[in-house]
Amino acid sequence: MYDFTPKQLELQKKVRAFVKEYIDPIAKESDATGVLPLSVFKAWSEAGLACLVAPKRVGGPELDAVTCTMIMEELGYADLGVATAFGANNLCSYPVLLAGTPDQQKKHFRPLLTGNYGSFALTEPNAGSDAGAISTTARRDGDEYVINGIKCFITQGGVAATYVLFALTDKSKGSKGMSAFIVERDRPGLSTGKVEDKMGIHASNTVELILENVRVPASHLLGKEGDGMKLAMMSLDAGRLVVAAQAVGVAQRAMDECVEYAKKRMDNGKSLTDQQAVSFKIADMATAVEAGRLLVYHGAMLKAAHRSYSKNSAIAKLFCTDMAMQVARDAMEIMGTYGYTKDALIEKIWRDARILSIYEGTNQIQRIVIANAVLR
Ligand code: CAA
């Protein structure tokens, strides 16, 4: 079981107040326009939350996994697009936390802690689920690496100041030849391509990155040549827990929206909640949300205690993301035609929720991770 500490509860209050002041007023507009005002991220940054995992020695809050999970659940409840955008700074920071030298950590976290976004650049047009199949290369040339390739579906890639990017330093070794680099946005040869027009999470930005003879100093290599695949996998272990937390927030919001509507909506002189078919469905939603929340915080507690949590993070993502979609679907069903209109928040929640079982490893990938852990 988990219980938040007074400090965590204080932070939860602060995040809820932030959501009310900054996110609630722009959520609908951001969904319609695809623009998340920079002022909202600046305010998040000024609140000291721009990069939750940044170490104290570089000026970050260095929050533990349970606290990060709690914050991501709150953001998921508020707006999954904003949660996705704000979460990008954490995902791209894990490889630097795992393998970065003190100098690299300073270089990486400085922009992230001063109102800038960072991105995790792994996926490519021919390497999504099979992350080890990337073809972007990084060729050593004296004191530099020269990077060439294309990355796609990069969250916050169009607005990021810095990337942690994965490339092959030795093509002949496949995924064992993958390495991770810090690459700043303003490097000559780096440009953004297609901006994705997504079904939901419109507040987040998703783009293609094009790298044409991009030169970075050799000192931008994280860890050793060949460490990239492990760093990516370990980072995704952490990221998947975050996605699961967002999913719990999304599911809770879907249920709350539905309950509020069902209590007020009269049908043949009775409230919807007087119908057992409706109240039972709501009972099932509440059960599913609670079960998911326990899985997420169990995984977070293992991570915070520096225990093995890869399997638990995959289990949490698998369960919570499918659960969020199911709860959003059932909530919309109860809310009927109104739920299908743009006036109802559930319409946006349902569109947003669809990404959860897809990004940071589809749920089929989570099954591979879980099965490998169980069967090895
Ligand atoms: N921790 C540490 N090391 C790990 C690990 C983990 N969790 N998982 C794997 N590894 C290591 C393995 O030990 C292995 O090392 P050795 O070669 O030294 O033995 C190496 O990594 C390769 O592992 P596998 O042989 O298991 O790799 P695989 O090629 O079979 O692939 C996979 C495994 C689980 C399918 C992996 O490819 C995967 O996770 N795919 C999904 C990729 C993904 O999640 N992409 C999301 C992109 S990011 C995103 O969506 C963010 C965004 O912008 C929204």
Side-chain angles (χ1 to χ4, degrees):
M1 260 313 290
Y2 67 94
D3 217 353
F4 292 143
T5 63
K7 221 168 143 190
Q8 285 167 335
L9 288 171
E10 194 55 40
L11 192 50
Q12 186 184 52
K13 231 169 138 188
K14 180 173 159 175
V15 173
R16 285 183 180 172
F18 181 94
V19 165
K20 210 165 164 200
E21 183 173 355
Y22 293 99
I23 301 180
D24 288 349
I26 57 95
K28 202 171 163 70
E29 178 81 3
S30 283
D31 181 48
T33 61
V35 177
L36 171 59
L38 196 57
S39 57
V40 177
F41 184 60
K42 291 262 184 216
W44 185 243
S45 185
E46 276 154 26
L49 298 167
C51 188
L52 307 177
V53 297
K56 287 207 165 103
R57 65 175 175 281
V58 297
E62 198 173 332
L63 298 177
D64 65 274
V66 175
T67 312
C68 290
T69 299
M70 179 197 77
I71 292 174
M72 282 301 156
E73 183 188 339
E74 293 298 326
L75 290 182
Y77 187 94
D79 183 301
L80 185 60
V82 176
T84 302
F86 285 6
N89 276 8
N90 297 320
L91 182 59
C92 74
S93 294
Y94 297 120
V96 185
L97 286 175
L98 290 164
T101 63
D103 269 2
Q104 287 174 329
Q105 296 202 352
K106 255 191 239 157
K107 185 185 292 296
H108 173 80
F109 288 111
R110 197 179 304 124
L112 300 193
L113 292 169
T114 50
N116 296 287
Y117 286 109
S119 290
F120 181 86
L122 173 65
T123 303
E124 298 184 2
N126 292 313
S129 285
D130 188 3
I134 63 165
S135 59
T136 294
T137 54
R139 177 177 56 80
R140 182 81 189 234
D141 182 24
D143 287 343
E144 294 180 321
Y145 283 93
V146 186
I147 306 178
N148 279 288
I150 293 182
K151 297 284 174 185
C152 61
F153 307 132
I154 305 305
T155 300
Q156 297 311 93
V159 290
T162 185
Y163 306 91
V164 169
L165 184 136
F166 297 84
L168 297 178
T169 40
D170 186 343
K171 275 206 276 197
S172 68
K173 290 188 181 160
S175 68
K176 285 188 197 301
M178 191 195 291
S179 305
F181 297 89
I182 297 173
V183 181
E184 302 92 333
R185 169 73 178 273
D186 53 10
R187 293 266 159 202
L190 193 156
S191 58
T192 53
K194 186 178 178 216
V195 181
E196 301 299 342
D197 183 7
K198 306 187 294 294
M199 169 180 166
I201 58 164
H202 291 161
S204 69
N205 164 269
T206 309
V207 300
E208 184 182 50
L209 283 187
I210 300 157
L211 298 113
E212 291 169 309
N213 293 317
V214 176
R215 288 183 170 269
V216 294
S219 62
H220 284 210
L221 170 71
L222 290 165
K224 302 187 303 303
E225 284 192 8
D227 284 352
M229 182 73 176
K230 275 192 183 153
L231 290 175
M233 293 299 109
M234 291 170 84
S235 301
L236 286 166
D237 283 344
R240 288 164 185 166
L241 212 44
V242 167
V243 175
Q246 292 169 349
V248 171
V250 166
Q252 182 72 56
R253 183 65 176 268
M255 186 176 97
D256 289 355
E257 292 293 314
C258 167
V259 166
E260 196 187 323
Y261 178 83
K263 276 182 178 168
K264 286 191 200 135
R265 169 93 162 128
M266 302 302 285
D267 196 27
N268 204 13
K270 283 179 164 180
S271 127
L272 282 189
T273 49
D274 290 333
Q275 298 180 25
Q276 201 173 58
V278 170
S279 66
F280 274 19
K281 217 166 207 27
I282 289 170
D284 286 346
M285 287 182 195
T287 305
V289 173
E290 275 307 310
R293 187 172 281 123
L294 288 171
L295 284 177
V296 173
Y297 284 96
H298 177 61
M301 278 169 56
L302 291 175
K303 182 174 190 302
H306 306 289
R307 288 168 61 188
S308 154
Y309 73 99
S310 176
K311 179 185 77 178
N312 303 81
S313 130
I315 287 176
K317 182 180 187 287
L318 173 61
F319 182 86
C320 296
T321 62
D322 280 348
M323 177 276 287
M325 198 62 223
Q326 181 69 40
V327 170
R329 179 190 176 282
D330 289 349
M332 190 186 275
E333 193 86 7
I334 290 172
M335 295 170 81
T337 309
Y338 170 69
Y340 191 64
T341 69
K342 295 265 179 199
D343 286 346
L345 184 63
I346 194 66
E347 182 272 342
K348 172 181 175 299
I349 293 173
W350 184 85
R351 278 186 290 110
D352 287 350
R354 190 62 195 87
I355 190 63
L356 289 161
S357 66
I358 297 171
Y359 63 10
E360 299 200 26
T362 65
N363 280 0
Q364 310 318 318
I365 293 297
Q366 308 315 315
R367 289 186 172 90
I368 293 178
V369 174
I370 298 162
N372 284 346
V374 171
L375 301 172
R376 79 166 162 239

